[in-house]
Amino acid sequence: MSNIYKHFYTLFIKEKEKLDRRISQRQDASPAPAFQTPLAVGAALLGLGVSSLLLGASEPKQKLEDHPMCGITTGGRAECYFDCEVFASSNGFTSSQIVTNLECLYDCFDSQKSGKRQQTKHCVDSLIGDVLEVGICYEADFLSPAYPDCLDTDTCPASYEGIYNNSRDCTSDICGILKGTCSTLTEMLLSKDECVREVFEQPGFILNTIQQLIQVSCSSKTSDIYTNFQQQANGVTPGDPCDPDYEYPDTTVSPDNLDYPDYTDGVMRGSNRTTNRLSPAQSVLQFPEFTIITQLNYENTRHRYPWVCSLRSTGSSPEHLCAVTLLSVPPKPTVVVGAAHCTYICKNDNEKAIPVCCCAPNEVESCVDDKTKCGDNPKVFEMTGDDVEILCGEWETGDTPMVLSGEKYNVLLPIKEIVRHPNFNTTQGAGPIGGSDIAIFKVDDISIQKKASSLRLNPICLPTKQKQTAGKQTGIHTGWSKPPPFHFVEDQAAGYLPLYRDFFKQWHYKMDIDTCRDPLLNGLFGGFLDFPSDSYYPPATVCAKDFSRQSCFSTGDSGSPLMVREKTRPMRFYAEGILSFVKGCDVFTFGAIDANETKWQLNQQSQNPSTYTKLSCFLPWVAKQYDLDYKVDGPTDPACVESQGDPLDKEKSNCTITPSGLLDVFPGGERQCIFPFHYNNKTYEECVLFDESGFVYPVFRCPTREITSKKDGINSYPSIELTEGLCLTDPNDQNSPLDADPEAICNPFAVRPVFQQCKNNCPGVRAFGVIGGGAILAFAGIASGVQLLGTGAVGLGAIGVAGFGGNAVAEMMCVTPYCRDRAGACCLIQPTPNNFLACPDICPV
């Protein structure tokens, strides 16, 4: 017998035995005619033999590898502060993050021009120069955790020891510094109105750094200018404590008579802290003569990262949903990766796309009762190319046309197929926290064939161990957040209306890459948490935090890449990961900070890490989906198989909150959550995300204080704005219940927040992917999570004839009639007791 026929005969016997086993296992199937099975198998294996021969003579596969132009940016620029390092003390003396390598700030301030084009020193440059040359005025750090027993300037370390040089040549009195390290020129430049305004236009950590340097280096005469301006910016009447006519604030009801600013859930009125997100603008401050807005140059991201594209809905008004990333472009296959959780959509009975809140798992996040919005029986479906498309060259999402946004390289890539990783688990309580949160998108790339270079469509470079730098790892995150609804901004933060388009524009963030674990430090005040959580992070993930801790990724950011510069080719970026989930922010407030509503802030802070799917762990699977070869870089990375945290540290009914407000510094600041509770006529037994005017705040919250109103013996809290608080019934008793009357009047120091941030091990807190639409999808009952084929239309015999003709190809690619079980193994689709065919949970051996 020839080798060809031996091969054919062996395959025939093997496949016949497989099918015989399948048929014998089907209990409720009617007997097939005697001729059906051999005919089906014979026809199928004839195709199988031909396919095997053809495969043996096929050309070598193309490789998934770096494109010659991979990772090279095509426009824009890095932010001036991307080479800065920041630090926040553990005892709070730095107030917030400060820049430690001050030289990096020289690039952020231009020298000023005067007559005859002569350049004069910039006020901030002059300040930095003085500090670098002379240092700052010595001040003892009596709260240093390293020196708990220090008593005086001789035994206590300097406040900024190890950060800035200290000088003991300063003179001061009870009102402050008389002569510091600032030169006469520096003090003169800093005193000018234009300098003050420009300083307050800086991102929060730069503003805080400059203010701190002025306070510890310059005379009180100069520092008072900035202190008073900060007070005005926070809606507080400025005053000089050294002025004999100065009236001290009434602190008679403040614990220990400490002079704390007005506080309501993270908004600190009268404080010199300005720790806010960098996009779209941290502050909008309207004064009678001028308005100060945090300055951000969005041109820096225009056309900069061509490999980052927008996954958006189809239709007449496309909406950005998530980011996707290009790994390869023609002439090789166009390889696009994104987050698997982004590939699900909420639809009603008519399979019409509806808001995500219609499929949200939690009542407070759900809008399912709104029939006008949701229709009947909303369910989660797998997306297809009919639902979404990919737009590359995007910079400003939304309805702004290209002629107005200035985008030059937009190209639309219709989606032909979406393939989710077989281990991505869509059962209730799983989703992104189960890991393997990655999908690939097969697109119609006819529009970029032979045009990728003219469209500046460079893919990003692939991650390898050789590209990693030693020591501390940093990266860049870029993408789009879904803007809050216009009516929400109109109601809550009207000062942002002229800037509303900025919410649609791409931005980028410097990230510190670190171990996946829950926060150990109190991000607001410094110091270690008394009761840190240690919740679970799945294998094959990598975590990062905004280096300033002043951002919190939310709706629309999922799928955004974490990009790292290559070690030997620093002008190129490689993709370290794609954003999978977050576990909520520490602080998220957006609105007016003064009673007159002339000053607004967008305040976002987070010590929680952003968790990314580690791309290197999945490149072999990605390559296989496109029939590409991929050379694995050495042995398996332990990070691909090792999880972080304790999977049992969850759903703790006695969990505590993370301090996120100024008054949490008092004893018992990490208060215990109270469950159950009533809110807005509903009962809850876990932490919840709150919706306000159609906008979901990405902070899991719980109540921590009893209240005077009860329902069936359970605390019942009134519906108030999240940035508002309620009065203590006894201002002198920090543990007294809250007054349930929102109209009650009390001293600001007696106001306490109703809800505060839950730690990650609290019930209800979960890892969620942030998809364009607002709420979290309930991954229960995916309407098309498992494709079922009715046996009335296609039976076993029909699969044998129609499906097995190219069986070798089908099995190799694991496409119908093969499928992958939850462990990723490939086997034939199996009959179910209900006369359907489906992929088994575990493939039979």
Side-chain angles (χ1 to χ4, degrees):
M1 185 182 294
S2 70
N3 289 335
I4 291 179
Y5 288 106
K6 284 182 180 179
H7 179 62
F8 180 85
Y9 183 79
T10 301
L11 291 173
F12 183 97
I13 296 300
K14 183 184 296 185
E15 292 298 325
K16 183 180 184 302
E17 290 174 350
K18 277 186 179 180
L19 285 176
D20 286 342
R21 287 199 301 271
R22 302 292 185 273
I23 294 171
S24 65
Q25 292 171 357
R26 185 174 179 184
Q27 299 176 357
D28 58 348
S30 57
F35 62 87
Q36 180 174 332
T37 298
L39 279 179
V41 175
L45 292 177
L46 179 62
L48 173 63
V50 174
S51 298
S52 300
L53 292 175
L54 291 175
L55 284 172
S58 63
E59 294 292 327
K61 292 183 180 180
Q62 296 187 80
K63 295 180 179 179
L64 177 60
E65 58 188 356
D66 280 348
H67 185 277
M69 297 296 289
C70 74
I72 298 176
T73 57
T74 53
R77 58 177 293 178
E79 298 306 310
C80 63
Y81 51 78
F82 274 0
D83 56 348
C84 290
E85 300 292 336
V86 299
F87 167 80
S89 67
S90 61
N91 59 11
F93 76 82
T94 60
S95 178
S96 182
Q97 286 78 13
I98 59 171
V99 176
T100 56
N101 56 330
L102 295 176
E103 300 92 337
C104 73
L105 293 179
Y106 280 135
D107 294 336
C108 295
F109 299 95
D110 295 328
S111 297
Q112 299 169 336
K113 293 183 179 181
S114 56
K116 297 184 179 180
R117 297 186 178 180
Q118 292 180 344
Q119 289 188 334
T120 60
K121 212 168 190 179
H122 190 280
C123 57
V124 176
D125 287 353
S126 186
L127 172 65
I128 292 172
D130 289 346
V131 173
L132 292 176
E133 182 179 353
V134 186
I136 62 174
C137 294
Y138 173 85
E139 179 181 345
D141 180 9
F142 294 102
L143 299 178
S144 172
Y147 299 86
D149 300 323
C150 73
L151 300 174
D152 51 39
T153 57
D154 294 326
T155 58
C156 292
S159 291
Y160 294 85
E161 188 171 293
I163 305 174
Y164 309 134
N165 292 328
N166 281 261
S167 170
R168 291 180 179 262
D169 294 333
C170 303
T171 58
S172 61
D173 61 14
I174 192 172
C175 293
I177 297 174
L178 297 175
K179 179 65 175 74
T181 59
C182 290
S183 65
T184 302
L185 173 63
T186 297
E187 301 241 11
M188 183 269 292
L189 293 174
L190 288 172
S191 300
K192 293 185 175 181
D193 289 344
E194 57 266 30
C195 180
V196 176
R197 295 178 191 177
E198 185 175 358
V199 166
F200 277 85
E201 290 174 345
Q202 300 307 310
F205 69 96
I206 296 179
L207 171 58
N208 186 63
T209 301
I210 298 170
Q211 287 184 299
Q212 294 289 319
L213 292 179
I214 293 173
Q215 292 288 333
V216 297
S217 303
C218 299
S219 69
S220 57
K221 181 180 179 180
T222 300
S223 63
D224 285 349
I225 295 173
Y226 287 82
T227 300
N228 291 341
F229 194 90
Q230 179 72 71
Q231 290 175 331
Q232 294 180 62
N234 290 330
V236 177
T237 302
D240 179 7
C242 289
D243 187 330
D245 296 326
Y246 176 69
E247 294 184 7
Y248 285 85
D250 176 17
T251 60
T252 55
V253 297
S254 175
D256 300 325
N257 284 331
L258 294 177
D259 180 13
Y260 286 99
D262 181 12
Y263 161 80
T264 49
D265 194 17
V267 177
M268 294 158 284
R269 299 182 177 89
S271 169
N272 67 345
R273 301 170 190 257
T274 51
T275 52
N276 309 296
R277 190 185 181 182
L278 304 184
S279 177
Q282 295 174 298
S283 303
V284 178
L285 311 174
Q286 291 181 355
F287 294 89
E289 300 84 12
F290 55 87
T291 298
I292 290 180
I293 300 172
T294 304
Q295 294 300 305
L296 298 172
N297 188 354
Y298 286 94
E299 292 297 320
N300 290 350
T301 58
R302 185 191 293 275
H303 306 144
R304 180 162 179 78
Y305 308 106
W307 49 82
V308 184
C309 306
S310 171
L311 178 69
R312 66 180 197 175
S313 60
T314 54
S316 57
S317 298
E319 178 185 14
H320 168 77
L321 301 175
C322 293
V324 294
T325 302
L326 289 169
L327 303 184
S328 175
V329 295
K332 290 188 176 181
T334 300
V335 177
V336 186
V337 296
H341 76 261
C342 285
T343 64
Y344 296 86
I345 189 170
C346 186
K347 295 182 179 181
N348 58 21
D349 267 354
N350 298 324
E351 294 198 12
K352 176 185 176 183
I354 51 180
V356 178
C357 62
C358 299
C359 296
N362 190 293
E363 284 189 56
V364 77
E365 302 153 31
S366 175
C367 60
V368 68
D369 294 335
D370 187 340
K371 296 297 182 181
T372 302
K373 182 182 294 184
C374 301
D376 295 323
N377 197 25
K379 292 181 180 178
V380 179
F381 286 75
E382 291 181 339
M383 285 179 177
T384 69
D386 293 332
D387 304 310
V388 287
E389 60 193 11
I390 292 172
L391 181 66
C392 294
E394 185 77 310
W395 176 64
E396 181 180 352
T397 62
D399 296 328
T400 303
M402 290 174 54
V403 292
L404 294 180
S405 67
E407 295 165 5
K408 300 178 181 178
Y409 307 106
N410 285 167
V411 58
L412 192 65
L413 300 177
I415 296 173
K416 297 192 293 186
E417 183 183 7
I418 301 173
V419 183
R420 300 152 189 88
H421 194 277
N423 291 346
F424 182 69
N425 189 350
T426 59
T427 58
Q428 180 72 33
I433 193 62
S436 301
D437 188 10
I438 188 170
I440 64 97
F441 301 81
K442 297 182 180 180
V443 299
D444 181 352
D445 59 4
I446 189 67
S447 59
I448 61 173
Q449 293 286 349
K450 300 181 181 180
K451 295 180 181 179
S453 59
S454 63
L455 291 169
R456 297 189 178 184
L457 205 57
N458 298 345
I460 196 169
C461 298
L462 304 179
T464 64
K465 292 181 179 179
Q466 291 75 18
K467 295 176 181 178
Q468 296 178 358
T469 57
K472 181 180 179 180
Q473 296 287 309
T474 61
I476 301 295
H477 169 111
T478 189
W480 300 268
S481 293
K482 178 180 169 62
F486 185 85
H487 67 269
F488 173 84
V489 179
E490 194 172 33
D491 292 342
Q492 304 294 327
Y496 280 83
L497 290 176
L499 308 174
Y500 190 66
R501 274 185 58 186
D502 288 348
F503 284 100
F504 294 85
K505 295 174 182 175
Q506 185 179 12
W507 194 243
H508 50 188
Y509 307 83
K510 179 183 175 182
M511 308 292 291
D512 288 336
I513 301 174
D514 205 349
T515 303
C516 292
R517 71 145 299 131
D518 292 347
L520 297 175
L521 294 175
N522 182 330
L524 194 61
F525 305 108
F528 289 95
L529 294 170
D530 294 326
F531 310 104
S533 59
D534 186 25
S535 63
Y536 175 77
Y537 294 83
T541 55
V542 58
C543 288
K545 300 178 183 180
D546 183 316
F547 85 120
S548 69
R549 308 300 189 263
Q550 295 173 15
S551 69
C552 178
F553 300 126
S554 56
T555 307
D557 282 304
S558 279
S560 298
L562 177 63
M563 310 171 296
V564 181
R565 290 192 181 274
E566 292 190 3
K567 177 180 179 180
T568 58
R569 302 185 299 179
M571 297 303 293
R572 295 176 185 254
F573 285 100
Y574 68 86
E576 178 66 17
I578 53 177
L579 184 61
S580 176
F581 64 83
V582 295
K583 295 184 180 181
C585 310
D586 295 349
V587 174
F588 191 108
T589 58
F590 185 29
I593 59 173
D594 69 325
N596 296 325
E597 296 191 2
T598 60
K599 299 170 180 63
W600 298 266
Q601 281 188 345
L602 173 56
N603 185 3
Q604 302 182 56
Q605 304 172 38
S606 184
Q607 288 286 338
N608 257 334
S610 299
T611 307
Y612 300 78
T613 300
K614 190 173 178 64
L615 187 59
S616 60
C617 302
F618 297 94
L619 286 179
W621 175 81
V622 171
K624 190 172 183 179
Q625 308 316 304
Y626 293 91
D627 196 22
L628 297 170
D629 271 340
Y630 177 73
K631 182 180 179 182
V632 178
D633 181 29
T636 301
D637 186 340
C640 295
V641 294
E642 296 176 359
S643 61
Q644 302 291 329
D646 181 0
L648 299 180
D649 191 20
K650 61 179 181 178
E651 303 295 326
K652 303 288 187 182
S653 59
N654 60 342
C655 72
T656 58
I657 59 100
T658 297
S660 57
L662 191 59
L663 296 180
D664 293 338
V665 297
F666 299 121
E670 294 178 47
R671 301 178 67 91
Q672 186 170 317
C673 289
I674 296 176
F675 303 116
F677 64 92
H678 292 296
Y679 174 73
N680 210 13
N681 298 319
K682 293 182 180 180
T683 304
Y684 302 99
E685 297 187 8
E686 60 182 22
C687 300
V688 292
L689 295 173
F690 286 95
D691 177 291
E692 190 170 11
S693 301
F695 181 74
V696 176
Y697 287 82
V699 183
F700 288 99
R701 304 179 196 248
C702 70
T704 62
R705 295 179 181 274
E706 299 286 336
I707 194 166
T708 55
S709 58
K710 308 286 183 180
K711 183 177 181 180
D712 299 327
I714 298 174
N715 289 300
S716 181
Y717 300 90
S719 179
I720 62 174
E721 293 186 7
L722 293 177
T723 56
E724 295 181 353
L726 296 175
C727 295
L728 293 172
T729 51
D730 182 356
N732 294 309
D733 180 1
Q734 293 304 301
N735 294 314
S736 63
L738 297 174
D739 188 332
D741 181 7
E743 303 300 322
I745 299 174
C746 61
N747 187 286
F749 295 110
V751 175
R752 295 295 181 271
V754 178
F755 296 96
Q756 294 177 275
Q757 182 212 356
C758 301
K759 287 198 175 80
N760 292 343
N761 59 359
C762 290
V765 176
R766 54 203 179 276
F768 62 90
V770 278
I771 310 174
I776 305 169
L777 281 172
F779 285 111
I782 304 296
S784 54
V786 176
Q787 185 176 1
L788 302 179
L789 304 175
T791 55
V794 183
L796 282 173
I799 288 182
V801 175
F804 284 1
N807 187 64
V809 178
E811 186 169 11
M812 179 187 68
M813 296 302 295
C814 204
V815 297
T816 305
Y818 288 86
C819 65
R820 291 191 184 276
D821 68 7
R822 295 202 180 282
C826 185
C827 60
L828 281 166
I829 292 173
Q830 303 290 303
T832 71
N834 298 322
N835 270 350
F836 286 90
L837 297 175
C839 195
D841 288 339
I842 301 176
C843 284
V845 179

